[in-house]
Amino acid sequence: MGWNIDIAWLTLLMFGSLGVLLALGLPMAFCTGSLAVIFLFLFGNAAVLNMTPARIFPFMTDYQLSAVPLFIFMAAMLEKAGIIEELFDAVYKWLGSIKGGLASATVLACTALAAMVGVVGATEVTMGMIALPAMMRRGYDQKIACGALLAGGTLGILIPPSVMAIVYAVVAQQSLGELLVGSILPGFLLSGMYIGYITIRCYINPKLGPALPPEERVDMKEKLRLLKNTIAPLLLIVLVLGIIFFGIATPVEAAGIGTFGALFVSALHRRLTWPAVEEAAIATLKATAMVMWIFFGATMFVGFFILKGGQEFVANSILGTGLPPYGILFLMMLILFVLGMFLDWVGILLLTVPIFLPIMKSLNWSGVFGIPGVEAADVPLWYGVIFMINMQMAFLSPPFGYSLFYLKSVAPPEISMATIFKASINFMVLQAVGVGLCIMFPQIILWLPSLVYAR
């Protein structure tokens, strides 16, 4: 029989030791897993140890999670097929004549990519290699150029097909189809806000993002010829999202069709070679294995914490602040934002959603400023999309935002880490405004699912 310990001390011990191990630079998956086993041994008993397989096995056999490797493989194949360069080329020739057009083209290309690729790293690195040198050559302001890439790249989390949505749906027991459909409008809203911000700033101060010189612009005939290159990728987007949207196939089946589509598009572009498929497969294996290990570790860690009464402790602590429901939601968003500075999204999702979601469901969301609120049945869907937008901020927030490092890895040497940090701040403010809008006007999230799923 393990020792008895007060839940407040246990909370401090568990999350304190997790913080220390992560600060030492150990991988999230093995920190949470090993700590869970140690705490199970010290403060649990033989019966509690049986929890380990009981919590891991459902994940290993979860049908929805099979979409994760499919979407990652699809992303890797499209990256190898050189489709991303062609897409950027077409958008940038179309938008080149407006001020800030290259940066806007970057965001648009990232939005289209996000709709094909559910992974941030692939978009960020590939676009960084193509778009950043193009903007630097044209004399763009470094902060605007980097900011457009950083913010555009994170849309991959939100716009379906998103790997984060799959993981959230599994953890929150929420319909994946509804979640994917619900995140479409917020994704396009953010994309539009980024483009609006870039365009306004470049028109106020044209030095930030000069338009292409007249001799580099292309005529209408050439623009239409360039559109031909975008047909295959756009068909793929319509195919994957369309079959989810119209309920023809489940998201997992759509992932399978999308993966086949990515192979087909690669073949059309004469880029389907064995080495390309092998590289894509190995990249998929690494990414999927990492996600699954974090799953196993974090779910045992949180499982033990909940078993010891951690959920009631955190719920009582948050509710004990005496804040109204929207104040509590603001506090949660703040906690997620701070966690996002240090942890990756899989860990944050698995550590917080099982604790925060029941609190969200227990509260009454009657709306703010007389705007209609959220019905109890819609809370998991609404919270899921708000959570994903918040996690976009986590990708951009210094000191450990993943996107910042993805971009630095491919940026020219004259762009310093400090510039990239500064570039992220204005776009993080836009994302915070996006979170605020989705909280105040829940219909941005709930309108499309209610239409498609006719609830």
Side-chain angles (χ1 to χ4, degrees), residues 65-73 163 280-296:
L65 279 179
S66 51
V68 173
L70 287 169
F71 280 136
I72 296 175
F73 182 73
V163 171
I282 288 177
T284 307
L285 189 68
K286 284 181 181 168
T288 312
M290 201 58 213
V291 169
M292 291 314 281
W293 270 113
I294 295 176
F295 248 112
F296 297 163

Tab-separated table of all heavy atoms in Angstrom, residues 65-73 163 280-296:
chain	number	residue	atom	x	y	z
A	65	LEU	N	-7.983	7.471	-34.143
A	65	LEU	CA	-6.566	7.857	-34.140
A	65	LEU	C	-5.823	7.369	-35.376
A	65	LEU	O	-4.743	7.860	-35.680
A	65	LEU	CB	-5.864	7.317	-32.884
A	65	LEU	CG	-6.061	8.132	-31.608
A	65	LEU	CD1	-5.352	7.480	-30.453
A	65	LEU	CD2	-5.562	9.562	-31.772
A	66	SER	N	-6.400	6.411	-36.095
A	66	SER	CA	-5.706	5.935	-37.302
A	66	SER	C	-5.643	7.037	-38.368
A	66	SER	O	-4.882	6.943	-39.330
A	66	SER	CB	-6.375	4.680	-37.867
A	66	SER	OG	-7.749	4.897	-38.008
A	67	ALA	N	-6.429	8.110	-38.186
A	67	ALA	CA	-6.343	9.232	-39.128
A	67	ALA	C	-5.036	10.008	-38.967
A	67	ALA	O	-4.587	10.666	-39.895
A	67	ALA	CB	-7.526	10.178	-38.930
A	68	VAL	N	-4.422	9.911	-37.768
A	68	VAL	CA	-3.199	10.697	-37.513
A	68	VAL	C	-2.070	10.332	-38.492
A	68	VAL	O	-1.577	11.191	-39.223
A	68	VAL	CB	-2.744	10.571	-36.038
A	68	VAL	CG1	-1.399	11.252	-35.827
A	68	VAL	CG2	-3.786	11.191	-35.107
A	69	PRO	N	-1.646	9.036	-38.546
A	69	PRO	CA	-0.557	8.735	-39.492
A	69	PRO	C	-0.948	9.003	-40.946
A	69	PRO	O	-0.098	9.402	-41.748
A	69	PRO	CB	-0.274	7.245	-39.265
A	69	PRO	CG	-1.427	6.712	-38.516
A	69	PRO	CD	-2.016	7.854	-37.759
A	70	LEU	N	-2.234	8.814	-41.278
A	70	LEU	CA	-2.654	9.049	-42.669
A	70	LEU	C	-2.475	10.516	-43.059
A	70	LEU	O	-1.937	10.825	-44.115
A	70	LEU	CB	-4.117	8.623	-42.855
A	70	LEU	CG	-4.364	7.114	-42.869
A	70	LEU	CD1	-5.858	6.813	-42.796
A	70	LEU	CD2	-3.768	6.481	-44.112
A	71	PHE	N	-2.916	11.426	-42.180
A	71	PHE	CA	-2.780	12.851	-42.507
A	71	PHE	C	-1.306	13.280	-42.511
A	71	PHE	O	-0.900	14.114	-43.307
A	71	PHE	CB	-3.594	13.716	-41.543
A	71	PHE	CG	-5.063	13.757	-41.877
A	71	PHE	CD1	-6.035	13.633	-40.896
A	71	PHE	CD2	-5.490	13.924	-43.191
A	71	PHE	CE1	-7.390	13.670	-41.202
A	71	PHE	CE2	-6.840	13.964	-43.510
A	71	PHE	CZ	-7.795	13.832	-42.521
A	72	ILE	N	-0.510	12.713	-41.596
A	72	ILE	CA	0.916	13.086	-41.569
A	72	ILE	C	1.601	12.588	-42.845
A	72	ILE	O	2.407	13.298	-43.451
A	72	ILE	CB	1.609	12.526	-40.300
A	72	ILE	CG1	1.012	13.168	-39.037
A	72	ILE	CG2	3.109	12.793	-40.347
A	72	ILE	CD1	1.537	12.609	-37.725
A	73	PHE	N	1.251	11.391	-43.281
A	73	PHE	CA	1.855	10.835	-44.509
A	73	PHE	C	1.437	11.673	-45.724
A	73	PHE	O	2.248	11.967	-46.603
A	73	PHE	CB	1.420	9.368	-44.692
A	73	PHE	CG	2.029	8.725	-45.904
A	73	PHE	CD1	3.374	8.375	-45.920
A	73	PHE	CD2	1.268	8.481	-47.039
A	73	PHE	CE1	3.944	7.787	-47.043
A	73	PHE	CE2	1.835	7.895	-48.171
A	73	PHE	CZ	3.173	7.543	-48.164
A	163	VAL	N	-4.578	17.359	-37.207
A	163	VAL	CA	-4.214	16.254	-36.302
A	163	VAL	C	-4.670	16.579	-34.878
A	163	VAL	O	-5.126	15.711	-34.136
A	163	VAL	CB	-2.688	16.001	-36.360
A	163	VAL	CG1	-2.254	15.032	-35.285
A	163	VAL	CG2	-2.296	15.465	-37.737
A	280	ALA	N	8.927	9.878	-46.813
A	280	ALA	CA	7.627	10.285	-46.255
A	280	ALA	C	7.169	9.285	-45.200
A	280	ALA	O	6.655	9.662	-44.136
A	280	ALA	CB	6.596	10.400	-47.366
A	281	ALA	N	7.385	7.986	-45.481
A	281	ALA	CA	6.949	6.942	-44.547
A	281	ALA	C	7.727	7.035	-43.233
A	281	ALA	O	7.162	6.899	-42.141
A	281	ALA	CB	7.130	5.569	-45.182
A	282	ILE	N	9.043	7.300	-43.333
A	282	ILE	CA	9.859	7.377	-42.117
A	282	ILE	C	9.490	8.616	-41.301
A	282	ILE	O	9.375	8.558	-40.075
A	282	ILE	CB	11.366	7.326	-42.468
A	282	ILE	CG1	11.695	5.901	-42.914
A	282	ILE	CG2	12.234	7.744	-41.287
A	282	ILE	CD1	13.091	5.654	-43.355
A	283	ALA	N	9.247	9.741	-42.006
A	283	ALA	CA	8.813	10.965	-41.301
A	283	ALA	C	7.497	10.711	-40.566
A	283	ALA	O	7.308	11.135	-39.420
A	283	ALA	CB	8.642	12.105	-42.304
A	284	THR	N	6.592	9.970	-41.229
A	284	THR	CA	5.283	9.645	-40.627
A	284	THR	C	5.469	8.781	-39.385
A	284	THR	O	4.856	9.020	-38.351
A	284	THR	CB	4.406	8.885	-41.651
A	284	THR	OG1	4.350	9.646	-42.846
A	284	THR	CG2	3.015	8.652	-41.116
A	285	LEU	N	6.336	7.775	-39.522
A	285	LEU	CA	6.590	6.842	-38.418
A	285	LEU	C	7.100	7.598	-37.193
A	285	LEU	O	6.610	7.407	-36.079
A	285	LEU	CB	7.614	5.798	-38.867
A	285	LEU	CG	7.829	4.625	-37.916
A	285	LEU	CD1	6.583	3.760	-37.861
A	285	LEU	CD2	9.010	3.786	-38.371
A	286	LYS	N	8.074	8.495	-37.426
A	286	LYS	CA	8.669	9.245	-36.302
A	286	LYS	C	7.620	10.118	-35.621
A	286	LYS	O	7.500	10.127	-34.394
A	286	LYS	CB	9.812	10.137	-36.804
A	286	LYS	CG	11.101	9.381	-37.105
A	286	LYS	CD	12.176	10.353	-37.576
A	286	LYS	CE	13.473	9.606	-37.908
A	286	LYS	NZ	14.404	10.500	-38.637
A	287	ALA	N	6.866	10.855	-36.445
A	287	ALA	CA	5.877	11.791	-35.874
A	287	ALA	C	4.773	11.040	-35.136
A	287	ALA	O	4.388	11.408	-34.021
A	287	ALA	CB	5.282	12.650	-36.980
A	288	THR	N	4.283	9.941	-35.733
A	288	THR	CA	3.182	9.190	-35.112
A	288	THR	C	3.646	8.534	-33.814
A	288	THR	O	2.939	8.563	-32.807
A	288	THR	CB	2.649	8.108	-36.082
A	288	THR	OG1	2.437	8.706	-37.346
A	288	THR	CG2	1.358	7.513	-35.579
A	289	ALA	N	4.856	7.956	-33.847
A	289	ALA	CA	5.376	7.291	-32.647
A	289	ALA	C	5.506	8.297	-31.510
A	289	ALA	O	5.156	8.006	-30.359
A	289	ALA	CB	6.731	6.655	-32.951
A	290	MET	N	5.959	9.506	-31.846
A	290	MET	CA	6.127	10.533	-30.810
A	290	MET	C	4.779	10.900	-30.203
A	290	MET	O	4.630	10.980	-28.981
A	290	MET	CB	6.788	11.763	-31.440
A	290	MET	CG	7.464	12.675	-30.439
A	290	MET	SD	8.720	11.779	-29.521
A	290	MET	CE	8.628	12.575	-27.947
A	291	VAL	N	3.776	11.102	-31.075
A	291	VAL	CA	2.438	11.458	-30.583
A	291	VAL	C	1.900	10.346	-29.676
A	291	VAL	O	1.367	10.606	-28.596
A	291	VAL	CB	1.461	11.714	-31.764
A	291	VAL	CG1	0.026	11.820	-31.284
A	291	VAL	CG2	1.854	12.997	-32.497
A	292	MET	N	2.077	9.087	-30.100
A	292	MET	CA	1.535	7.970	-29.315
A	292	MET	C	2.249	7.827	-27.965
A	292	MET	O	1.624	7.553	-26.951
A	292	MET	CB	1.615	6.658	-30.108
A	292	MET	CG	0.691	6.589	-31.301
A	292	MET	SD	-1.001	7.138	-30.988
A	292	MET	CE	-1.697	5.705	-30.178
A	293	TRP	N	3.561	8.049	-27.960
A	293	TRP	CA	4.295	7.953	-26.685
A	293	TRP	C	3.831	9.033	-25.713
A	293	TRP	O	3.693	8.795	-24.518
A	293	TRP	CB	5.809	8.059	-26.908
A	293	TRP	CG	6.449	6.723	-27.130
A	293	TRP	CD1	7.032	6.279	-28.274
A	293	TRP	CD2	6.537	5.643	-26.188
A	293	TRP	NE1	7.483	4.988	-28.105
A	293	TRP	CE2	7.198	4.572	-26.841
A	293	TRP	CE3	6.125	5.468	-24.863
A	293	TRP	CZ2	7.466	3.357	-26.216
A	293	TRP	CZ3	6.386	4.255	-24.238
A	293	TRP	CH2	7.047	3.216	-24.915
A	294	ILE	N	3.619	10.246	-26.261
A	294	ILE	CA	3.129	11.323	-25.376
A	294	ILE	C	1.741	10.941	-24.853
A	294	ILE	O	1.417	11.154	-23.688
A	294	ILE	CB	3.086	12.675	-26.129
A	294	ILE	CG1	4.497	13.100	-26.519
A	294	ILE	CG2	2.455	13.759	-25.254
A	294	ILE	CD1	4.574	14.367	-27.358
A	295	PHE	N	0.931	10.356	-25.739
A	295	PHE	CA	-0.395	9.865	-25.345
A	295	PHE	C	-0.287	8.925	-24.149
A	295	PHE	O	-0.963	9.104	-23.142
A	295	PHE	CB	-0.972	9.050	-26.510
A	295	PHE	CG	-2.141	9.699	-27.148
A	295	PHE	CD1	-2.071	10.191	-28.444
A	295	PHE	CD2	-3.320	9.824	-26.457
A	295	PHE	CE1	-3.152	10.787	-29.039
A	295	PHE	CE2	-4.416	10.419	-27.050
A	295	PHE	CZ	-4.336	10.900	-28.338
A	296	PHE	N	0.552	7.897	-24.306
A	296	PHE	CA	0.658	6.881	-23.248
A	296	PHE	C	1.115	7.514	-21.938
A	296	PHE	O	0.547	7.277	-20.878
A	296	PHE	CB	1.647	5.777	-23.651
A	296	PHE	CG	1.220	5.008	-24.880
A	296	PHE	CD1	2.143	4.232	-25.587
A	296	PHE	CD2	-0.084	5.045	-25.327
A	296	PHE	CE1	1.756	3.527	-26.714
A	296	PHE	CE2	-0.483	4.340	-26.466
A	296	PHE	CZ	0.450	3.579	-27.153
